[in-house]
Amino acid sequence: MGKNKNMIKAGYLLSYDYSYIFTSVNQIYHEVDSIVISYDADHKTWAGNDVFIPESFFTDIKKIDSDNKITFYKDKFYVPGMQPMELETRQRNMMAEKLGLDGWHIQIDGDEYAYDFKKITQFLRNNSFLLKKPEKNPINFQVNFVTLFKQNEEGFFVITPFDEKCMLITNYPKYEYARLTNKGRTLPLDYYLIHQSWARDEEEIVEKINNWGHKNDFDTSKFLDLWKELNASNYSEFKDFHPIYKSLWKELSFFPSKNIDEFISLFSKKYPQKELHLNLSFTKKIKMRIKGFF
C-alpha cells in the first residue's frame, strides 16, 4: 500500500460493534482505493475485556470485497496499564502506518455512514495538490456529525442541530488524541456523516460504554440511566445534555424510519450532500507555500 501518493485510504477499528461495519463499508467502498480493518490479536477491547468476532464476519466482508480493496490487520492493540483513549490513539497510528503514510487518510468508525461519499472523494481528488509536502502543510478536514441517540419502533431520535464536528480526513496521519492530529490547519466541510452512536439496544450500549475510548471520561452509568428514560413523550425535554460538553447536544428531533437503511435513504433525500470547495485565497496561499515562495 501507499505506492500511489494520490490514494484515498480508509481505516476501521474493529471490536465489539463489528456488525455495523457492513453498512458503513457499503457507503464508501467504490470511492476509496484501499481499506484496512484492524482488530486485536488477543481478542481484547481497549478496556481489556474479551471480545468475540465470529469467523463468519471475515467471510462476509470478503463477499462484498469485489475489488480486493480490504486488508485485515491483526496486532496487539491492548496494552495492560494504558488508558482506553491512549490505546485508541495508538491503534489509529499503527493502522495509519499499515495503510501507508502518504495519500489521503480517512479514519471512519464502523457505526458511521458517509452517504453520497463521492462528494468527498471528488473534493479530495480535485485538491490533490494538498498531498505535496504534507509534513510542511498538514491539512485536516472536519465534517458534521448527525448523531442518532435512540431508536424505537417508529424511528430515531436525532440530535439537532447538526453542530457536532468530527475529524475525518488528513494528509498527515500523526494522531495525538483519537482522530485529532493537532498539526496544521483544520478546515470544516459542509458534509453530513451519520453516526449511529447511541441508537442501539440497551445490551449493546452497556458493552459500548464499558469498552470504548471514552470509558473514563464521564459517569457512564448515570448517563445510561438518562438514556433509558428517553421516550416519545419526553424527548423534547432533553436540552443541552451532552455528557461532557453540555451545549454541544442542544435538543432532539424525531425522524420516522423503520431501520437504519431507511433512515439513511430518507435523510439523504431531505439533506442532500453539497458540492465541496476550498476557499480560493486559501488554495492560492497553500500552492505558493508548496512552491517555496514563503
Side-chain angles (χ1 to χ4, degrees):
M1 289 186 191
K3 293 182 180 180
N4 181 352
K5 294 183 180 297
N6 295 325
M7 287 180 72
I8 298 176
K9 312 169 185 182
Y12 285 94
L13 312 177
L14 187 68
S15 190
Y16 51 87
D17 55 355
Y18 59 86
S19 62
Y20 293 90
I21 200 172
F22 293 96
T23 302
S24 183
V25 168
N26 282 327
Q27 298 291 327
I28 73 169
Y29 184 82
H30 294 292
E31 297 299 326
V32 299
D33 298 301
S34 65
I35 297 171
V36 163
I37 300 175
S38 63
Y39 63 100
D40 187 70
D42 297 323
H43 312 289
K44 296 290 185 181
T45 69
W46 296 319
N49 298 319
D50 293 330
V51 60
F52 174 71
I53 302 173
E55 191 61 35
S56 60
F57 167 83
F58 300 97
T59 303
D60 290 341
I61 281 287
K62 279 303 178 184
K63 288 178 182 177
I64 65 174
D65 188 17
S66 57
D67 298 327
N68 200 30
K69 295 180 179 182
I70 298 176
T71 300
F72 291 111
Y73 170 35
K74 180 171 65 173
D75 210 325
K76 292 184 179 295
F77 295 121
Y78 171 68
V79 179
M82 292 183 68
Q83 293 297 311
M85 185 52 72
E86 292 176 322
L87 292 172
E88 175 179 343
T89 305
R90 176 177 176 269
Q91 183 171 347
R92 290 189 184 282
N93 280 303
M94 292 171 70
M95 186 165 61
E97 291 185 11
K98 186 70 175 179
L99 282 161
L101 296 178
D102 53 8
W104 290 111
H105 277 242
I106 298 170
Q107 292 221 2
I108 181 169
D109 290 349
D111 65 343
E112 295 172 356
Y113 314 132
Y115 67 93
D116 196 4
F117 194 63
K118 193 170 185 177
K119 291 291 196 306
I120 289 281
T121 54
Q122 284 179 333
F123 169 79
L124 295 178
R125 297 191 196 282
N126 289 342
N127 293 286
S128 59
F129 73 91
L130 293 172
L131 295 174
K132 298 178 180 178
K133 301 179 182 179
E135 68 284 353
K136 293 184 178 180
N137 299 288
I139 301 293
N140 313 293
F141 293 109
Q142 290 180 330
V143 296
N144 305 314
F145 252 159
V146 178
T147 302
L148 313 186
F149 191 66
K150 199 169 186 178
Q151 179 182 8
N152 65 15
E153 294 180 356
E154 284 75 41
F156 291 85
F157 299 96
V158 184
I159 293 166
T160 50
F162 312 125
D163 291 337
E164 188 175 4
K165 303 297 181 184
C166 168
M167 190 74 75
L168 187 66
I169 307 163
T170 186
N171 68 347
Y172 191 67
K174 303 286 186 179
Y175 301 100
E176 296 187 23
Y177 183 87
R179 285 181 273 196
L180 299 179
T181 66
N182 297 328
K183 293 288 192 302
R185 293 285 300 273
T186 297
L187 303 175
L189 293 180
D190 193 7
Y191 180 91
Y192 296 118
L193 180 65
I194 297 172
H195 185 199
Q196 187 145 359
S197 190
W198 291 80
R200 312 170 182 224
D201 294 338
E202 183 177 333
E203 183 178 341
E204 292 181 272
I205 290 292
V206 172
E207 187 174 33
K208 175 185 175 78
I209 63 178
N210 285 330
N211 291 288
W212 64 346
H214 297 289
K215 179 178 181 291
N216 299 325
D217 291 350
F218 61 95
D219 189 337
T220 53
S221 294
K222 183 178 179 180
F223 197 74
L224 176 62
D225 291 337
L226 182 72
W227 178 87
K228 289 179 183 178
E229 293 174 4
L230 174 70
N231 56 48
S233 300
N234 65 12
Y235 77 90
S236 61
E237 300 171 14
F238 280 61
K239 307 289 185 183
D240 298 324
F241 64 101
H242 190 279
I244 303 175
Y245 310 106
K246 294 293 183 183
S247 61
L248 188 59
W249 291 354
K250 291 184 171 57
E251 60 184 4
L252 287 165
S253 297
F254 185 73
F255 203 105
S257 48
K258 297 175 183 177
N259 51 48
I260 190 61
D261 291 326
E262 184 173 89
F263 177 88
I264 295 170
S265 176
L266 295 175
F267 188 89
S268 65
K269 292 175 182 176
K270 185 172 182 179
Y271 298 97
Q273 305 285 18
K274 301 175 183 176
E275 298 294 334
L276 302 172
H277 304 281
L278 274 180
N279 178 279
L280 290 177
S281 61
F282 172 78
T283 300
K284 183 178 180 181
K285 183 178 180 180
I286 292 297
K287 285 184 175 180
M288 291 180 67
R289 181 180 295 171
I290 290 172
K291 291 179 180 179
F293 290 116
F294 62 90

